[in-house]
Amino acid sequence: MKKLPALILLLSALTGKLSAQTELYAPDTKAQLVAKQFSFTEGPAVDKKGNVFFTDQPNNKIWKYDTDGKLSVFLDSAGRSNGMYFDKKGNLISCADADDQLWSISPKGKVTVLLKDYQGHKFNGPNDVWVRPDGGIYITDPYYQRDYWTRKQPDLDGMKLYYLAKGKGPAVIVDDKFVRPNGIIGTPDGKTLYVADIGDNKTYRYDINKDGSLSNRTLFIAMGCDGMTIDEKGNIYMCGKGVTIVNPKGDKIGHIDIDEPWTANICFGGKNKDTLFITASKAVYTFKMNIKGVD
């Protein structure tokens, strides 16, 4: 009889998890293949209208998937763009790791280089980016050797998290305690930041200070990931082997299976921002939700 309370607690926890997952999407929902014509997809970012822009990094292109489901090339010679995010003015902020730079790309495709180095040294390879509401930018800078680079080792010591204040260079280091930082996302109020250390299989949460510095570094979940996004209830969507959904307390509440070797990145898109757009290996997928994103 002593085992009964433990069993009840387990069943209660499982029921609660299933209920939370059902609130997010219908149980029979499946990921829908949009296209599988790419080499490796990354960096999805959504504009104000719900159009999604993503990269085919090996082929050096940025694609657009509009709210009517049409695919088109937005930019050729895209700087080998990786992670991307839109600022409030509609510019696409891109981690352009062909030359290890940070770009701002206008709606018409005009490129402005925001960052080209750190104290005269090339970045490792800007990987993912999040723009806070006031225009400040956070950038993860891991080192992944690219076959299109001539260098064979990093110029910088360590893999770090940088911050670029709006209209104020240069970038500053806001955390240097990573093995290999990767995915990043913040809350829409600009108060909380999440950063995945994929090299150490951990994800951290920070308080964001007004000057862009970070405080109260806390382990959010003992799990690393590639790209991330966030919904209107503060749940975090973490990419890797499919998509793992984690509530604001750090509890896993759902998982979306993607039938690809690797799921790289994710955002909410569509006219109502209630459809997940998922980049996975050579393909892109959509997944209908009952909740909206806040990208």
Side-chain angles (χ1 to χ4, degrees), residues 3 68 103 150 157 173 228 253 282 292:
K3 293 182 178 180
D68 293 322
W103 285 8
T150 56
D157 180 22
I173 297 169
M228 298 191 289
I253 58 171
K282 296 182 178 182
K292 297 182 179 181

Side-chain angles (χ1 to χ4, degrees), residues 46-51 67 270-273:
V46 62
D47 67 13
K48 291 179 180 179
K49 295 180 180 179
N51 303 303
T67 55
K271 293 178 181 179
N272 298 316
K273 303 286 182 68

Side-chain angles (χ1 to χ4, degrees), residues 36-44 54-63 80-83 127 144 146 148 182 226-227 239-240 260-265 278-284:
K36 201 170 187 175
Q37 64 194 56
F38 314 102
S39 293
F40 190 80
T41 56
E42 252 288 5
F54 66 96
T55 76
D56 183 2
Q57 193 176 33
N59 290 318
N60 202 17
K61 298 180 187 295
I62 297 175
W63 286 77
R80 302 280 187 171
S81 288
N82 195 341
N127 184 277
Y144 292 97
R146 306 301 191 187
Y148 44 82
N182 196 307
D226 204 331
C239 292
E260 298 292 344
W262 186 251
T263 302
N265 217 325
I278 302 163
T279 58
S281 300
K282 296 182 178 182
V284 289

Side-chain angles (χ1 to χ4, degrees), residues 69-86:
K70 179 183 176 183
L71 276 171
S72 60
V73 175
F74 169 67
L75 187 66
D76 280 309
S77 300
R80 302 280 187 171
S81 288
N82 195 341
M84 304 190 296
Y85 202 90
F86 275 96

Side-chain angles (χ1 to χ4, degrees), residues 195-265:
V195 181
D197 188 348
I198 198 169
D200 198 28
N201 202 31
K202 293 180 174 67
T203 297
Y204 295 95
R205 178 174 55 214
Y206 305 80
D207 292 337
I208 301 175
N209 303 316
K210 288 184 178 181
D211 64 357
S213 62
L214 303 174
S215 56
N216 296 328
R217 185 186 205 252
T218 305
L219 180 65
F220 174 59
I221 186 171
M223 173 185 169
C225 74
D226 204 331
M228 298 191 289
T229 195
I230 188 170
D231 68 26
E232 60 187 350
K233 290 190 176 180
N235 300 309
I236 307 296
Y237 296 68
M238 306 174 68
C239 292
K241 298 295 184 180
V243 180
T244 300
I245 307 172
V246 183
N247 69 18
K249 295 180 180 180
D251 303 319
K252 295 180 183 180
I253 58 171
H255 188 272
I256 299 170
D257 292 323
I258 304 295
D259 189 21
E260 298 292 344
W262 186 251
T263 302
N265 217 325

Side-chain angles (χ1 to χ4, degrees), residues 150-164:
T150 56
R151 62 175 173 151
K152 300 300 180 184
Q153 61 184 24
D155 291 5
L156 295 169
D157 180 22
M159 306 184 198
K160 303 167 185 176
L161 175 67
Y162 294 86
Y163 175 70
L164 178 65

